[in-house]
Amino acid sequence: MRSIRFPEPPNGSSGVPEIFDGGIYGAIRRAIVIGNGFPGAENQCLGLVRALGLSGRHSLYRVMRPRGGINEWLHWLPVSVHKKLDLLIKQIFGDSSRKVEGKNGMPLLTKKTGLPHVLEADAKQIAKVARETFDMDGPLLVIASGRDTISVASSIKRFAPENVFVVQIQHPRSQLDRFDLVIAPRHDYYPLTPHGRQQIPWLLRPWITPCEPPGKNVVLTVGALHQADFAALRSAASTWLKELASLPKPLLVVNIGGPSSNCRYGVDLAKQLAAMLQNVIWSCGTVRISFSCRTPEKVSEILVKEFSAHPKVYIWDGEGLNPHLGHLAWADAFVITADSVSMLSEACSTGKPVYVIGADRCTWKFADFQKSLTERGAVRPFTGKEDISESWSYSPLNDAVEAANRVNLALAARGWRIHTSTI
């Protein structure tokens, strides 16, 4: 297995005895993650939690947008309106879900989320807990990601400004002073560039464009934060040792996402990918293909039909343990569709060759993201002429570590720090 060049996550320790470093009032011992139910958003929060050394000392809350029926057509409405519609439907047709009490009296979501230990985000209740436990447990770190979480996270800061430190991941577009820190990818500011302004009608700019250049409380990353850090991949390498270590090398991992409004593709790209893989498979010892939950069936069917009987190719069918982290740990190279910022960010954090297919289909800030990875030397276009046994290197992305360092600096400026001692 090729070595994975990761720095160890920062531990947040200043080397100063706690009694001289803000004491209990300045030591952050716990975190709250506020998500929206989408892995792409929540994994960014959890990646930052890991990088800060707070794994196992965080609680997951969610702002849940009702799904299905009329809500799918009204997804642009505020989540509060969706909840009112959902409540009305339940009143008419009955509600079989139930709530149970969690710690601190917070209601646990049961049937609604399918996860028995996910807390429903309530800004007033979270702020109340932060105030009432401050003297005993110190400040509360709040990390949120996704459009639906913005109002909740900002309200927590408003209700308990002296007791919380609020980090908003993904750009809230306006009123950045509502948060202690905003973490956003550089391509979120693409609409402010001259080329970006040409692409966006002036009537739409206030809705999709950050209202100002990056301020002092804005941290810009190259890609998305994630949980695939050094420790996670080291563990995955051990977990998948028996299944992946003995495979013929080089191991090429192919990760396929799904089209979006800014990266459109379909059967045409699937056929192109299949032909290109056939052209390079001679240089591979093993090829392992994985689809995401966003992959259209018509795309996956083409690749399954093309390679299901090939002796060098394994296609994960979605059953059993997800091999994604194992693939990141053991792969020698990757081919990834251009639509997924998360999958590309994870692969580019390993320092291994990453080939991209479909970048020419991406527009707006997603094209800018592809450009930034290419300029760093982290990715190359997949042409079907590659010799996968030939390797190349670049400086791996370490966005979560760099973001964690900025969080620690911002906390220090406030007289606070992450408490990592187990004593």
Side-chain angles (χ1 to χ4, degrees):
M1 183 182 73
R2 288 187 56 192
S3 60
I4 304 167
R5 298 189 296 277
F6 280 103
E8 291 287 352
N11 58 21
S13 174
S14 63
V16 179
E18 185 174 307
I19 190 172
F20 299 115
D21 193 28
I24 192 170
Y25 299 110
I28 293 179
R29 292 172 164 78
R30 67 260 166 83
I32 279 180
V33 168
I34 302 178
N36 58 4
F38 291 97
E42 293 182 358
N43 281 338
Q44 296 200 62
C45 297
L46 297 174
L48 183 58
V49 166
R50 289 180 62 90
L52 288 168
L54 288 171
S55 290
R57 291 187 286 155
H58 69 278
S59 299
L60 175 60
Y61 290 70
R62 278 188 180 155
V63 179
M64 293 300 297
R65 181 178 290 274
R67 312 290 178 189
I70 193 173
N71 294 307
E72 298 302 315
W73 294 92
L74 302 175
H75 61 85
W76 52 273
L77 287 174
V79 68
S80 59
V81 177
H82 271 193
K83 287 188 174 182
K84 290 179 180 178
L85 289 174
D86 189 51
L87 179 60
L88 179 61
I89 292 172
K90 288 178 178 178
Q91 288 175 340
I92 296 173
F93 297 103
D95 180 13
S96 58
S97 66
R98 61 185 181 89
K99 289 184 178 180
V100 297
E101 292 298 313
K103 59 184 179 181
N104 297 323
M106 301 296 292
L108 296 178
L109 294 184
T110 54
K111 192 170 183 178
K112 190 172 183 180
T113 63
L115 297 173
H117 301 297
V118 177
L119 302 164
E120 185 168 16
D122 183 311
K124 289 184 178 180
Q125 182 65 30
I126 293 172
K128 179 183 178 183
V129 170
R131 291 192 304 268
E132 293 179 348
T133 61
F134 182 78
D135 289 345
M136 179 178 296
D137 298 322
L140 179 64
L141 179 64
V142 177
I143 304 174
S145 180
R147 177 170 62 93
D148 288 340
T149 70
I150 291 173
S151 62
V152 174
S154 60
S155 294
I156 293 171
K157 178 172 169 59
R158 187 173 75 253
F159 294 144
E162 303 300 322
N163 312 105
V164 299
F165 189 92
V166 179
V167 179
Q168 184 70 37
I169 300 176
Q170 296 183 343
H171 209 293
R173 295 191 176 93
S174 64
Q175 297 177 287
L176 304 188
D177 58 352
R178 292 178 291 171
F179 312 96
D180 293 293
L181 215 59
V182 171
I183 299 176
R186 288 186 177 90
H187 56 260
D188 270 358
Y189 280 89
Y190 171 70
L192 293 179
T193 65
H195 190 251
R197 290 183 183 277
Q198 291 177 2
Q199 293 181 302
I200 303 169
W202 69 270
L203 284 173
L204 298 179
R205 289 176 191 170
W207 298 95
I208 59 177
T209 305
C211 295
E212 59 184 39
K216 63 180 181 179
N217 70 327
V218 177
V219 178
L220 294 184
T221 62
V222 177
L225 308 187
H226 54 80
Q227 300 188 69
D229 58 16
F230 178 85
L233 294 193
R234 183 171 54 190
S235 176
S238 176
T239 300
W240 291 92
L241 175 68
K242 186 176 296 185
E243 181 168 341
L244 300 182
S246 60
L247 293 177
K249 296 288 188 175
L251 168 57
L252 176 65
V253 168
V254 182
N255 290 332
I256 302 169
S260 67
S261 59
N262 292 293
C263 287
R264 298 184 181 277
Y265 63 85
V267 170
D268 55 339
L269 188 69
K271 291 179 177 178
Q272 180 184 356
L273 175 58
M276 289 179 173
L277 287 175
Q278 288 286 13
N279 288 339
V280 303
I281 205 166
W282 65 269
S283 65
C284 303
T286 308
V287 177
R288 289 177 68 97
I289 301 175
S290 291
F291 304 105
S292 81
C293 59
R294 298 186 299 107
T295 308
E297 188 174 347
K298 60 184 179 181
V299 170
S300 59
E301 283 179 347
I302 289 174
L303 291 158
V304 169
K305 181 179 180 180
E306 184 76 16
F307 294 106
S308 60
H310 198 290
K312 283 188 176 183
V313 179
Y314 168 85
I315 301 176
W316 184 52
D317 60 5
E319 299 295 326
L321 186 64
N322 190 331
H324 181 61
L325 285 177
H327 286 170
L328 288 173
W330 284 102
D332 295 295
F334 303 90
V335 171
I336 300 176
T337 54
D339 56 273
S340 179
V341 174
S342 296
M343 288 195 299
L344 285 169
S345 298
E346 290 171 338
C348 290
S349 69
T350 67
K352 301 173 184 179
V354 179
Y355 298 97
V356 180
I357 184 168
D360 56 323
R361 317 290 180 96
C362 294
T363 60
W364 192 39
K365 66 179 184 179
F366 295 92
D368 192 59
F369 172 62
Q370 299 295 333
K371 179 182 177 184
S372 70
L373 293 181
T374 302
E375 290 176 346
R376 290 174 63 94
V379 304
R380 296 180 182 180
F382 187 49
T383 65
K385 300 177 182 179
E386 291 79 8
D387 180 347
I388 302 302
S389 65
E390 294 181 358
S391 185
W392 42 278
S393 61
Y394 52 91
S395 179
L397 299 188
N398 289 307
D399 283 329
V401 172
E402 293 169 8
N405 288 335
R406 288 290 301 275
V407 171
N408 282 323
L409 288 173
L411 288 171
R414 193 164 170 177
W416 294 351
R417 67 180 179 88
I418 304 293
H419 178 81
T420 58
S421 174
T422 57
I423 299 176

